[in-house]
Amino acid sequence: MPSIARLEAAFGRIAATRMAGLPINHPRLTVEACGFRQWQGKWLGVLIAPWAVNLVLLPDGDPDFLALAADRRETWRFPSGEYDFMGGDEAECGAFQFCSLMSPVAADVVADQAAARALAQEVLTQLFAAPAEAAAQPAETARPSLLSGPLSRRGFL
């Protein structure tokens, strides 16, 4: 998983430089890559940063991976639905794609790093759950969640 460590290094640098001191930063969050796993020849996971929580795709050597220009989007299909990803490129990690889940990160929704990690895990769980699976759970056994029903950025926020 060296590309994931490089992603964290890139965003650590960004946090210490161009994002340092900005009022949109959540004071109790740090840069952390969470739950990354192999998916369709790429690494998929959530990147927590003081200013955002993003779903991220890293190429992991995939020759078909698109390095997207700032004005381009790529739509990826998951069991829970389709999501648009934007492109990024940083010296430490190269090209990546991301889907913004929360930016800025609301302190009343995500209190601290532990809550951000829990959110990341819930996002990844819901991303791979078909909408019918979530609806089929009996109410008494369903666990409370920030993300109930099909996952969408608008619904999430």
Side-chain angles (χ1 to χ4, degrees):
M1 289 194 224
S3 58
I4 297 164
R6 290 193 306 267
L7 178 73
E8 281 185 322
F11 278 81
R13 175 187 48 79
I14 293 166
T17 57
R18 65 182 186 234
M19 294 303 290
L22 292 181
I24 65 168
N25 286 334
H26 189 306
R28 291 179 298 283
L29 294 185
T30 60
V31 172
E32 182 179 352
C34 295
F36 274 80
R37 63 179 93 170
Q38 285 281 301
W39 178 75
Q40 294 189 3
K42 297 158 201 53
W43 284 107
L44 171 72
V46 174
L47 180 71
I48 299 166
W51 61 92
V53 177
N54 296 316
L55 192 58
V56 175
L57 279 168
L58 297 168
D60 194 37
D62 181 349
D64 296 326
F65 188 82
L66 292 178
L68 299 173
D71 63 339
R72 300 278 314 238
R73 305 285 183 269
E74 184 169 5
T75 302
W76 290 96
R77 181 183 299 269
F78 295 90
S80 61
E82 293 183 343
Y83 304 94
D84 289 338
F85 283 69
M86 299 178 282
D89 194 342
E90 294 296 332
E92 295 90 340
C93 62
F96 59 93
Q97 293 183 13
F98 68 98
C99 177
S100 179
L101 300 171
M102 183 181 284
S103 181
V105 182
D108 60 333
V109 176
V110 179
D112 55 21
Q113 195 76 16
R117 279 187 212 109
L119 172 64
Q121 291 306 318
E122 182 68 16
V123 164
L124 291 169
T125 298
Q126 291 298 320
L127 187 65
F128 288 100
E133 289 177 29
Q137 280 187 325
E140 62 274 6
T141 62
R143 58 178 200 208
S145 169
L146 290 174
L147 306 171
S148 57
L151 179 66
S152 75
R153 282 190 297 164
R154 296 228 185 267
F156 171 73
L157 297 174

